[in-house]
Amino acid sequence: MADLPILSCPELERDIWRMYRDFFDKAERRRRWRIADDIPWNECNRNLDPAVADVIETFCAVELYLPDYTGKILPVVRPSKGRTWFYANWGYEESKHSLALNDWLVKSGHRSDEYMTDMESKVFEREWNLPTESHVGMLCYAMSQELATFINYRNLKNRIAALGGDPALEKLLGFISIDERAHYSFFRDATKIFLTHDREGTIAQLRPILNQFQMPAVHDLLDESTKRIERIRNLEVFNEEIFYREVYFPIITDLGITKAEMRGKPIKKSYKTDPNPSTSA
């Protein structure tokens, strides 16, 4: 699975840089929110189903691996200004998600400051590693991960009303969901650009990412991972069926990739016949 070398296509890099500027400008105009001012913290529900707090703790713990996420991908994509600048912005937004989730757990009374400090210490004892060394593979991974993360946050937000309601958490999850959807859109559009330059190579990188997909950290880096996954499934926030219905198939549809291509079958090519071959150079 050889990668298309970074900077081998100036046109590709120009397109990604333009995408990033558009992404950034829209974020500045439409998506920026402030933890202290834009969430009704006085409306936290201290009696909300404890299972919700368990899931929020898991999401918060996953976000705490941000130093690994950014620290390990930036050297891989450093030659690409568009992707480097995007990951810097992405890191800022993800750090805000982590802070806000932590704040809700404490302000709602579901967790203490001491508990969160202990949880953070356990997280930092372990290290997340890139699932692939391919820069194109990581682009495909990030795209898939961001859509799955959006689905997780959206579904949990939609479940809260039936579990007792929490205006502060619902507002917070709404902000985060919008951010995650915007991240997915950037990665998807960047993947489309790579598809135009190296379709077979890009699909070859995407195939194992989708076929072996796992949420980062939850499965192998967090304490009581089995219990955490079960909580997420029991609340119908995310499971295998949801993954295929709302992540796998939407991605290949958005990218215009066929099921046959995802199975690794050769791509059929059509060639136009030169009506006057004798004049060809």
Side-chain angles (χ1 to χ4, degrees), residues 8-277:
S8 63
C9 301
E11 179 185 354
L12 182 153
E13 290 300 326
R14 284 195 299 269
D15 288 344
I16 290 180
W17 175 251
R18 283 194 292 266
M19 277 177 45
Y20 170 68
R21 281 308 309 264
D22 184 58
F23 171 92
F24 180 82
D25 291 341
K26 286 182 178 178
E28 292 289 285
R29 293 196 309 269
R30 304 176 185 176
R31 284 198 299 108
R32 298 303 185 211
W33 51 279
R34 295 188 294 182
I35 295 175
D37 302 324
D38 295 330
I39 299 168
W41 293 115
N42 62 322
E43 298 183 53
C44 290
N45 182 356
R46 302 180 72 88
N47 298 312
L48 189 62
D49 188 331
V52 174
D54 290 345
V55 173
I56 292 295
E57 179 189 318
T58 296
F59 290 170
C60 185
V62 170
E63 298 282 7
L64 285 172
Y65 282 95
L66 180 63
D68 292 335
Y69 301 150
T70 55
K72 296 190 177 184
I73 188 58
L74 284 172
V76 175
V77 300
R78 189 180 184 280
S80 171
K81 184 181 178 183
R83 279 183 286 173
T84 303
W85 260 244
F86 175 81
Y87 271 113
N89 184 92
W90 175 88
Y92 154 70
E93 294 188 3
E94 296 295 342
S95 72
K96 185 161 63 173
H97 299 170
S98 176
L99 289 170
L101 293 171
N102 183 97
D103 285 358
W104 179 84
L105 285 165
V106 174
K107 291 177 184 294
S108 66
H110 288 276
R111 299 291 188 272
S112 66
D113 283 319
E114 293 76 16
Y115 179 94
M116 295 305 295
T117 298
D118 183 59
M119 187 268 284
E120 290 175 4
S121 296
K122 291 178 180 178
V123 166
F124 291 138
E125 289 174 357
R126 298 164 183 171
E127 186 175 351
W128 178 87
N129 291 300
L130 298 178
T132 173
E133 296 180 356
S134 159
H135 74 91
V136 177
M138 281 306 301
L139 180 62
C140 296
Y141 174 82
M143 171 187 62
S144 307
Q145 177 57 48
E146 292 300 305
L147 183 55
T149 303
F150 161 73
I151 297 298
N152 274 267
Y153 283 122
R154 185 206 65 189
N155 286 351
L156 182 58
K157 176 180 180 293
N158 292 342
R159 289 283 293 144
I160 289 174
L163 296 169
D166 186 307
L169 184 56
E170 291 173 62
K171 188 74 169 180
L172 168 57
L173 293 177
F175 284 137
I176 295 177
S177 297
I178 291 170
D179 286 349
E180 301 291 0
R181 184 73 191 190
H183 298 166
Y184 164 69
S185 295
F186 178 89
F187 286 123
R188 177 203 61 202
D189 292 345
T191 303
K192 286 182 178 179
I193 293 174
F194 275 87
L195 281 167
T196 64
H197 289 268
D198 181 12
R199 185 175 183 83
E200 292 190 17
T202 302
I203 293 174
Q205 295 293 343
L206 175 64
R207 193 179 296 119
I209 295 297
L210 284 180
N211 290 340
Q212 303 165 26
F213 181 82
Q214 287 186 333
M215 294 295 286
V218 178
H219 287 264
D220 55 0
L221 292 178
L222 299 182
D223 288 342
E224 300 183 311
S225 60
T226 301
K227 177 182 175 182
R228 293 178 186 279
I229 294 168
E230 196 62 29
R231 287 287 198 198
I232 292 170
R233 287 175 174 162
N234 288 343
L235 288 178
E236 299 180 353
V237 171
F238 200 74
N239 55 39
E240 289 80 2
E241 180 182 350
I242 293 172
F243 167 72
Y244 281 105
R245 184 179 68 243
E246 301 196 50
V247 178
Y248 186 99
F249 291 115
I251 282 177
I252 66 173
T253 299
D254 281 356
L255 297 177
I257 297 173
T258 67
K259 293 179 182 179
E261 288 176 295
M262 286 302 292
R263 289 194 295 269
K265 293 185 177 181
I267 301 172
K268 293 183 179 179
K269 298 180 180 179
S270 60
Y271 299 91
K272 293 183 179 180
T273 303
D274 190 337
N276 190 9

